[in-house]
């Protein structure tokens, strides 16, 4: 069966008019003889509103109950879209994640798909129905509802594409595709016609929310090609795939992640085992640490700083104090929330010596102080003041000539 997989994001389904437009788009493809499997997100802001509402009732709701609540956002849009398709006279069925056979582990809010049993989907498709699946959710072995982390509908779509053997997964969103930087922050950002899986992975990990990181990992693993495009225009969009002869560009894009906090543990003794003890404590509290820096600034005393996601900042600070108590109460813990991670991404970074100095020089000229630096083969990231992040993005975008990138 030639299954055509599409995913529609929240803005594409924001109101009745848009729902009908999506229904029409799906039907057009169906009329071309395709078996249509369509994944939908919750409508615009629904997930945020549900989270805020939950927090008004309980400051730390249990992850299980939060998943029960959040999954309703996608159920609302999938059933309404089914009604829109029905109203146009086509056979359609909406399914939750569980009904679609998406089995996950029981890590609520961040569940991983462990198995997909696509039998029900395939049966419905064989009967000629358009199948609509609520994204972002699955079911545990105990039958509880889980969600797959923010942006999880992308993950659902790619996982289902892999499960039904589709070569492509079309991702419809509110921008024309993947740009050299967030077009809502950098007006000069250029649409990229093609990006490799590795570049997209890095862009996504470093904050380009246009695709969830897990969806890109799955696409790479299963060889599913992604086509990111606008739900509102006929622009060609961006293809995410292994590109053989893609011209090697130095820097492919710039990204920002403001959902981080910097934690500093100041005044700890300079002796073996301190970093080990600290990060062991953090790991035991389930905190995942990103960048780490240690300053050797006074005799026998060190400061260790690291970044975590804002959600983990409270637990991280707690873990640091626990550790300090365990070594006799020396030192103190500081938390800074108004920081952002700004990154440049591109396969060409590996072989070029000038990239780092251009980056540092550009930030210096803009009077932006760098608090931390980390590099890998394919990216350079810096931690700076959150208030200067948008300016840094725009300056770097210009400095690496992304304003005039050759579309490849
Ligand atoms: P959807 O609801 O369709 O899943 P998202 O809000 O999750 O939409 O993702 C689309 C948004 O991603 C865009 O509106 C844009 O602000 C943001 N974005 C961040 N970085 C990029 C980038 N490099 N290219 C395109 N969009 C980006
Ligand atoms: N509604 C979920 C979220 O906002 C999933 C998604 O949109 O992909 O994270
Ligand atoms: Mg999204």
């Amino acid at each position: 069966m030639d299954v055509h997989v599409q995913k529609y994001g929240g803005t594409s389904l924001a109101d009745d008019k848009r729902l009908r437009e999506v229904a029409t788009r799906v039907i057009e493809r169906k009329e071309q003889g395709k078996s249509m499997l369509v994944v939908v997100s919750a409508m615009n802001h629904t997930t945020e509103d549900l989270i805020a509402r939950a927090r008004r009732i309980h400051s730390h709701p249990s992850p299980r109950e939060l998943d029960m609540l959040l999954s309703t956002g996608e159920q609302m849009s999938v059933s309404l879209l089914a009604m829109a398709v029905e109203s146009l006279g086509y056979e359609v069925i909406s399914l939750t994640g569980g009904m679609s056979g998406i089995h996950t582990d029981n890590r609520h809010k961040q569940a991983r798909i462990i198995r997909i049993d696509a039998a029900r989907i395939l049966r419905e498709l064989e009967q000629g129905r358009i199948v609509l699946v609520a994204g972002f959710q699955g079911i545990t072995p105990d039958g509880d509802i889980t969600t797959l982390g923010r942006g999880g509908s992308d993950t659902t779509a790619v996982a289902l594409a892999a499960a039904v053997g589709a070569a492509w997964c079309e991702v419809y969103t509110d921008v024309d595709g993947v740009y050299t930087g967030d077009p809502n922050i950098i007006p000069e950002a250029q649409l990229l016609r093609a990006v490799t899986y590795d570049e997209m992975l890095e862009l996504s990990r470093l904050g380009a929310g246009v695709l969830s990181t897990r969806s890109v990992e799955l696409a790479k693993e299963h060889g599913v090609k992604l086509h990111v495009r606008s739900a509102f225009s006929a622009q060609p969009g961006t293809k995410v795939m292994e590109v053989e002869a893609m011209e090697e560009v130095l820097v492919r894009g710039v990204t920002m992640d403001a959902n981080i906090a910097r934690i500093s543990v100041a005044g700890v003794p300079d002796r073996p085992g301190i970093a080990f003890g600290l990060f062991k404590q953090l790991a035991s509290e389930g905190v995942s640490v990103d960048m780490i820096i240690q300053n050797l600034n006074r005799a026998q005393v060190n400061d260790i700083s690291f970044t975590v996601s804002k959600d983990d900042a409270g637990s991280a600070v707690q873990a640091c104090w626990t550790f300090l108590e365990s070594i006799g109460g020396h030192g103190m813990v500081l938390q800074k929330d108004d920081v952002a991670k700004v990154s440049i991404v591109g396969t060409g970074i590996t072989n070029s010596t000038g990239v780092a100095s251009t980056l540092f020089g550009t930030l210096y000229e803009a009077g932006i102080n760098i608090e931390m630096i980390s590099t890998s083969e394919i990216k350079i990231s810096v931690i700076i003041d959150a208030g200067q992040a948008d300016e840094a993005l725009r300056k770097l975008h210009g400095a690496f000539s992304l304003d005039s990138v050759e579309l490849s």
Side-chain angles (χ1 to χ4, degrees):
M1 200 181 343
D2 180 15
V3 186
H4 193 82
V5 181
Q6 296 186 331
K7 178 254 166 177
Y8 290 91
T11 37
S12 330
L13 306 157
D15 53 36
D16 297 354
K17 182 169 164 278
R18 293 213 165 142
L19 267 171
R20 287 185 201 285
E21 283 167 9
V22 169
T24 309
R25 217 178 247 259
V26 172
I27 286 167
E28 273 168 16
R29 282 294 164 88
K30 171 81 181 156
E31 283 292 329
Q32 291 164 6
K34 308 274 186 199
S35 292
M36 295 302 295
L37 174 55
V38 180
V39 175
V40 299
S41 290
M43 293 180 193
N44 236 356
H45 307 307
T46 302
T47 308
E48 282 79 10
D49 292 348
L50 290 172
I51 293 173
R53 182 140 192 215
R55 292 260 149 79
R56 286 202 298 275
I57 305 282
H58 188 323
S59 57
H60 289 95
S62 73
R64 183 192 181 278
E65 298 310 327
L66 206 55
D67 278 356
M68 278 293 279
L69 181 69
L70 296 191
S71 62
T72 63
E74 271 69 13
Q75 285 186 42
M76 199 167 17
S77 43
V78 81
S79 49
L80 287 169
L81 182 60
M83 292 172 204
V85 173
E86 249 173 19
S87 76
L88 296 168
Y90 285 77
E91 283 237 38
V92 60
I93 184 160
S94 68
L95 302 172
T96 64
M99 289 156 81
S100 315
I102 300 176
H103 298 272
T104 72
D105 59 18
N106 56 12
R107 272 186 289 172
H108 286 285
K109 288 166 70 187
Q110 286 295 337
R112 296 271 284 205
I113 298 174
I114 45 184
R115 182 169 60 86
I116 294 185
D117 174 2
R120 171 82 190 266
I121 289 180
L122 292 172
R123 208 162 58 235
E124 301 290 352
L125 288 172
E126 261 153 27
Q127 287 172 12
R129 297 204 173 98
I130 293 169
V131 177
L132 309 181
V133 176
F136 177 52
Q137 52 181 267
I139 196 165
T140 68
D142 290 335
D144 285 335
I145 296 175
T146 49
T147 63
L148 308 177
R150 299 306 308 273
S153 297
D154 302 331
T155 311
T156 304
V158 177
L160 287 180
V164 301
W168 285 92
C169 178
E170 278 186 325
V171 178
Y172 286 94
T173 185
D174 61 349
V175 287
D176 285 340
V178 179
Y179 283 76
T180 50
D182 187 339
N184 289 317
I185 300 177
I186 308 166
E188 299 80 20
Q190 302 289 310
L191 184 69
L192 296 163
R193 291 276 171 78
V195 195
T196 66
Y197 289 119
D198 285 339
E199 284 171 335
M200 192 62 232
L201 257 180
E202 212 62 60
L203 286 168
S204 167
R205 277 193 195 123
L206 295 168
V210 60
L211 285 172
S212 79
T213 305
R214 189 69 191 129
S215 73
V216 188
E217 281 171 3
L218 284 173
K220 181 180 177 188
E221 204 176 305
H222 297 278
V224 175
K225 292 175 225 155
L226 303 179
H227 191 178
V228 184
R229 47 198 314 197
S230 166
F232 314 120
S233 77
Q235 293 296 315
T238 304
K239 293 182 174 156
V240 185
M241 54 200 277
E242 226 53 271
V243 188
E244 293 285 317
M246 191 144 80
E247 180 206 353
E248 184 142 300
V249 294
L250 213 51
V251 176
R252 180 66 74 186
V254 296
T255 55
M256 192 243 303
D257 182 1
N259 186 31
I260 58 166
R262 196 193 72 195
I263 313 287
S264 300
V265 183
V268 287
D270 180 25
R271 59 174 152 85
I274 291 292
F276 169 61
L278 174 63
F279 290 101
K280 198 169 115 190
Q281 185 65 40
L282 285 159
S284 77
E285 308 257 346
V287 174
S288 53
V289 171
D290 184 19
M291 282 193 209
I292 301 172
I293 190 168
Q294 172 170 298
N295 314 341
L296 188 61
N297 54 1
R298 298 185 292 282
Q300 273 121 44
V301 178
N302 276 338
D303 297 341
I304 300 177
S305 298
F306 55 89
T307 59
V308 293
S309 85
K310 278 207 171 77
D311 304 337
D312 279 351
S315 328
V317 167
Q318 194 73 46
C320 292
W321 282 117
T322 307
F323 169 71
L324 290 183
E325 272 160 35
S326 76
I327 58 163
H330 299 288
M332 66 177 306
V333 185
L334 304 161
Q335 175 181 343
K336 187 177 175 199
D337 279 342
D338 54 349
V339 288
K341 176 159 77 171
V342 168
S343 311
I344 57 171
V345 175
T347 41
I349 288 173
T350 331
N351 313 318
S352 173
T353 46
V355 175
S357 67
T358 303
L359 183 144
F360 301 144
T362 307
L363 295 181
Y364 164 67
E365 277 162 27
I368 296 172
N369 188 41
I370 300 172
E371 299 185 16
M372 292 168 131
I373 300 167
S374 92
T375 62
S376 80
E377 285 197 345
I378 195 176
K379 60 113 191 188
I380 304 177
S381 300
V382 293
I383 302 292
I384 60 171
D385 204 85
Q388 294 176 304
D390 285 3
E391 186 192 353
L393 278 180
R394 285 191 286 266
K395 291 266 159 66
L396 291 172
H397 195 268
F400 288 102
S401 310
L402 293 171
D403 299 356
S404 54
V405 75
E406 272 291 309
L407 295 181
S408 55

